Amino acid sequence: MCGIVAYIGKKEAYPIILKGLKRLEYRGYDSAGIALLNNGEINLYKRQGKVSNLEEFAADKNINGNSGIGHTRWATHGAPNDVNAHPHYSSDGSIALIHNGIIENYDSLRKELINHGYVFKSETDTEVLVHLIDDIRKNEKISIAEAVRHALQNVVGAYAIVVISKDNPNQLVAARKSSPLVVGISNEGDFYLASDATPIVEYTKRVVYLEDEEIAVVDLNEGLKIVNIGNQEITPYVQQLQLELEALEKGGYEHFMLKEIHEQPRSINDCFRGRLNADEAWVSLGGIKEYEQKMINAKRIVMVACGTSWHACLVGEYLLEDLARINVEVEYASEFRYRNPIIGENDIVIAVSQSGETADTLAALELAKSKGATILGICNVVGSSISRITDAGSYTHAGPEIGVASTKAFTAQVTVLTLMALSLAYKKGTISDSKFHSMLAELESIPEKVKLVLEKNDLIEKIANTYKDATNALYLGRGSSFPVALEGALKLKEISYIHAEGYPAAEMKHGPIALIDEEMPVFVIATKGTSYEKVVSNIQEVKARKGKIIAIVTEGDIAVKEMADHAIEIPETDEHLVPILATIPLQLLSYHIAVMRGCNVDQPRNLAKSVTVE
Ligand code: G6P
């Protein structure tokens, strides 16, 4: 979390950085700030709250400069106020710095710097970095780039930083470890730096992704130079961005989340491209093809993820176990990494991550790798850290997801996992030819069925209106619909701030049933399939306590429709594919409830999309 953006070149830096910060606001919106170098002085503009607050504050000021750095913050150390906002200055105002990450040994460094006479203005861990660089530069009489390198040798933690200095007006110095940083190189000789490529794509498609412990100097006279922390020169690997600018805009929708919900027929289709052909009866995930036999032979597959991606893993567990008969364990990445897990060379660890940057997921993978496991990734963001450290992987191809609450990324992750399960099942012989063929055909029809579910929007909006004032909600499902229930509950609490819990339907009677009264909406995934009758019984148990039932049912199901207070029909499909379809109405319900409650749907309070801190 925290977004950083910087520019140096011939243009005015302020509009470029401001626009970049708006693109990166999904990474945090506790405060925003910019430092610009103009006529030999670094001027700081910082404001608590969203980038729009900074923009308003700056509106009547004459802000100029061809070089600058900007930051949008998700607070870790210190309250979200103007003082703690980045950039942070050195005492004499000659250096300013932005940072994404956490300096874990900041306390000892701070004490040391106070002994050297430094006075701290903020409560942030970041301010130690700027003073440390300043201290080293003055004591060792070295260049700013060298001082950054030496300073980082003393730092424990995660960082992506950009430093601007008065004494070197032609250059910016940047570095990363565990937090992402991309350098954009324009044909005009200007440079752009950012946490991801979205602030850069408008100006250039030529980018370099920095690796851990690399320090980059972008210099208007000398170009881009990269060294590692040990001072070995690194040849920059320039890549061509595949991202299109239109993908970063709302395209006529009121919110990014709504746009992304409606994009799902297309994003699922994009996920199929080149990987599925029902007529020719094949499915193939090219990225992991050479690891398939290893997956089949593996003692078990461990899946690690956080948040919504963790829910996708739970669906994947059902699919891989049921179709391919492979033993799967799903772990919260944050728990896995600190539990001394038993992992060895015969294990496969798959990380699932939209951003490909989640700190815990990344660390879980590094741990698995250090123990000799094969590590694979399922990521959405091309070129992200996870996609680069894994042995192999499959992109979800959902396109940029900007709404903080994940929607199309989830269905794309489930789609990739379905393709994976089918491919492995076929290869392993755990699925009959006829079942394989019928599932491929059914999978190919899913985007059209998603469209049909999206057409229920008006009905869903009406249901949302009935329950918008609820204070609690329960989501129930069984089998692979249990993770859908978890995801439905997460969506509601994330964006509408209604307390919601997802539960396996049968577990309800071991606790949550005590909460049920006539005020309590209970969302139940009650589609036709193995557990249908059992779920119907659970619905009766809720009804007996006067709970309100909102059921997701298979088209044409009269029985549950009659029992429920409201029913949303989804097209009939293979049971394994229900999670994709059943998720859509729950996304729309949360969206409408949040809008009706006046919540900021795209940027819910306290959340960030890319969680690059533990
Ligand atoms: C944050 C986001 C969630 C996301 C989770 C994991 O909490 O708000 O939407 O599911 O991180 O992110 P990842 O990028 O690893 O999927």
Side-chain angles (χ1 to χ4, degrees):
M1 38 250 303
C2 294
I4 65 178
V5 58
Y7 168 78
I8 186 163
K10 291 171 222 54
K11 295 184 235 173
E12 278 300 325
Y14 176 67
I16 295 170
I17 295 173
L18 191 75
K19 201 184 234 186
L21 289 181
K22 287 183 181 166
R23 294 245 162 86
L24 292 178
E25 214 169 6
Y26 73 86
R27 303 177 70 87
Y29 24 83
D30 287 333
S31 64
I34 291 183
L36 290 172
L37 185 61
N38 191 25
N39 289 330
E41 289 303 322
I42 299 176
N43 301 310
L44 277 190
Y45 310 89
K46 317 204 275 188
R47 269 295 170 267
Q48 178 180 346
K50 294 184 181 298
V51 176
S52 55
N53 291 6
L54 173 71
E55 192 174 15
E56 251 170 55
F57 168 70
D60 58 354
K61 300 183 176 51
N62 212 357
I63 302 188
N64 296 311
N66 303 120
S67 147
I69 58 179
H71 187 271
T72 175
R73 178 169 186 243
W74 187 86
T76 58
H77 296 58
N81 56 29
D82 293 353
V83 177
N84 289 331
H86 300 214
H88 290 283
Y89 254 151
S90 61
S91 314
D92 60 1
S94 66
I95 304 174
L97 173 147
I98 46 176
H99 168 223
N100 164 213
I102 289 186
I103 307 304
E104 288 172 13
N105 58 338
Y106 84 100
D107 200 33
S108 56
L109 290 172
R110 189 179 164 111
K111 285 184 183 132
E112 215 173 291
L113 287 159
I114 289 172
N115 285 341
H116 292 196
Y118 282 89
V119 177
F120 282 78
K121 295 195 189 98
S122 78
E123 304 154 285
T124 63
D125 53 330
T126 300
E127 201 183 347
V128 299
L129 270 182
V130 73
H131 294 318
L132 184 63
I133 293 166
D134 188 53
D135 194 38
I136 291 176
R137 182 177 67 132
K138 285 179 179 153
N139 286 337
E140 299 182 21
K141 302 200 172 24
I142 51 178
S143 71
I144 190 82
E146 270 297 276
V148 168
R149 194 173 66 78
H150 287 200
L152 294 177
Q153 287 171 341
N154 296 295
V155 158
V156 179
Y159 53 80
I161 58 166
V162 185
V163 183
I164 189 167
S165 82
K166 268 187 2 185
D167 301 342
N168 300 77
N170 287 330
Q171 61 173 228
L172 297 173
V173 180
R176 76 154 270 183
K177 184 182 176 196
S178 302
S179 297
L181 196 56
V182 191
V183 184
I185 309 164
S186 83
N187 292 336
E188 297 81 44
D190 300 352
F191 293 98
Y192 303 81
L193 295 119
S195 299
D196 71 26
T198 58
I200 298 176
V201 63
E202 194 165 340
Y203 311 102
T204 179
K205 293 213 162 180
R206 294 172 63 226
V207 295
V208 174
Y209 290 92
L210 288 192
E211 298 292 344
D212 272 354
E213 301 201 320
E214 286 185 355
I215 295 132
V217 178
V218 291
D219 188 301
L220 291 179
N221 302 321
E222 291 169 21
L224 168 66
K225 187 177 165 204
I226 302 178
V227 294
N228 67 15
I229 204 155
N231 207 22
Q232 285 163 313
E233 193 158 346
I234 310 283
T235 310
Y237 170 52
V238 182
Q239 300 188 39
Q240 199 68 17
L241 278 180
Q242 299 301 326
L243 192 64
E244 295 304 328
L245 196 56
E246 303 80 72
L248 306 175
E249 278 149 13
K250 282 190 197 150
Y253 286 92
E254 204 180 327
H255 297 101
F256 279 111
M257 182 180 178
L258 189 61
K259 176 189 172 214
E260 287 155 9
I261 290 173
H262 281 275
E263 275 176 345
Q264 290 175 105
R266 186 202 48 74
S267 54
I268 295 170
N269 248 325
D270 286 349
C271 192
F272 290 161
R273 195 154 294 144
R275 294 168 166 175
L276 168 69
N277 191 320
D279 289 340
E280 293 171 15
W282 59 260
V283 57
S284 168
L285 281 174
I288 55 155
K289 212 170 177 45
E290 58 173 301
Y291 287 86
E292 281 192 334
Q293 198 53 50
K294 205 164 180 182
M295 289 169 87
I296 288 168
N297 297 342
K299 264 203 322 223
R300 60 176 180 160
I301 293 177
V302 179
M303 301 177 88
V304 291
C306 305
T308 288
S309 300
W310 185 77
H311 297 155
C313 292
L314 291 179
V315 178
E317 179 182 19
Y318 281 95
L319 294 168
L320 285 161
E321 290 194 350
D322 195 38
L323 295 171
R325 310 301 299 148
I326 295 175
N327 181 11
V328 176
E329 280 167 32
V330 177
E331 300 265 7
Y332 283 116
S334 54
E335 290 296 314
F336 177 83
R337 62 182 288 201
Y338 287 117
R339 215 194 44 232
N340 193 13
I342 303 164
I343 290 282
E345 283 171 12
N346 294 328
D347 290 315
I348 301 218
V349 177
I350 305 180
V352 177
S353 173
Q354 188 286 129
S355 61
E357 302 293 348
T358 302
D360 282 321
T361 312
L362 197 54
L365 272 187
E366 279 161 358
L367 175 71
K369 191 177 188 163
S370 73
K371 290 179 180 277
T374 299
I375 56 169
L376 306 177
I378 297 176
C379 295
N380 191 37
V381 177
V382 176
S384 54
S385 300
I386 291 177
S387 67
R388 283 180 293 131
I389 73 156
T390 39
D391 296 314
S394 289
Y395 283 118
T396 47
H397 297 306
E401 189 181 66
I402 293 163
V404 164
S406 185
T407 52
K408 64 173 180 171
F410 173 76
T411 48
Q413 289 165 342
V414 173
T415 304
V416 168
L417 288 164
T418 310
L419 294 169
M420 184 187 281
L422 280 169
S423 179
L424 293 173
Y426 188 68
K427 199 162 190 165
K428 196 174 168 191
T430 49
I431 188 172
S432 68
D433 278 6
S434 65
K435 175 76 180 166
F436 180 66
H437 293 169
S438 75
M439 275 200 71
L440 293 191
E442 195 48 42
L443 193 52
E444 248 180 15
S445 74
I446 283 291
E448 281 310 309
K449 292 187 176 177
V450 171
K451 277 188 199 162
L452 296 174
V453 182
L454 290 170
E455 284 171 13
K456 307 272 173 185
N457 181 59
D458 292 353
L459 165 70
I460 294 170
E461 198 172 350
K462 276 197 197 121
I463 300 174
N465 194 40
T466 311
Y467 297 103
K468 66 176 188 307
D469 299 319
T471 47
N472 289 291
L474 199 55
Y475 286 72
L476 303 176
R478 294 179 89 121
S480 60
S481 291
F482 162 51
V484 175
L486 289 176
E487 176 58 12
L490 177 65
K491 239 28 359 141
L492 188 70
K493 69 185 138 199
E494 274 183 313
I495 61 170
S496 73
Y497 317 139
I498 295 174
H499 168 245
E501 281 189 56
Y503 246 79
E507 273 293 304
M508 171 195 64
K509 52 187 166 299
H510 299 290
I513 200 163
L515 301 171
I516 293 173
D517 59 17
E518 58 277 13
E519 305 293 326
M520 174 78 125
V522 181
F523 300 89
V524 189
I525 299 115
T527 47
K528 287 278 169 66
T530 324
S531 312
Y532 175 74
E533 276 80 20
K534 305 281 177 206
V535 175
V536 169
S537 307
N538 300 137
I539 290 177
Q540 296 292 7
E541 289 157 14
V542 174
K543 277 190 71 79
R545 274 109 193 142
K546 301 198 169 54
K548 298 280 181 292
I549 296 284
I550 305 97
I552 311 291
V553 300
T554 308
E555 211 159 50
D557 179 352
I558 308 293
V560 176
K561 244 180 143 172
E562 281 176 356
M563 264 176 245
D565 296 272
H566 308 271
I568 305 165
E569 290 183 312
I570 61 171
E572 191 165 2
T573 187
D574 184 283
E575 198 176 347
H576 297 93
L577 307 180
V578 164
I580 301 178
L581 295 185
T583 299
I584 316 280
L586 301 182
Q587 295 171 344
L588 281 169
L589 261 164
S590 303
Y591 170 79
H592 289 302
I593 290 177
V595 170
M596 287 168 192
R597 288 166 70 96
C599 301
N600 185 335
V601 173
D602 284 335
Q603 294 172 348
R605 71 179 177 214
N606 303 338
L607 296 177
K609 192 155 187 71
S610 190
V611 182
T612 53
V613 296
E614 288 188 31

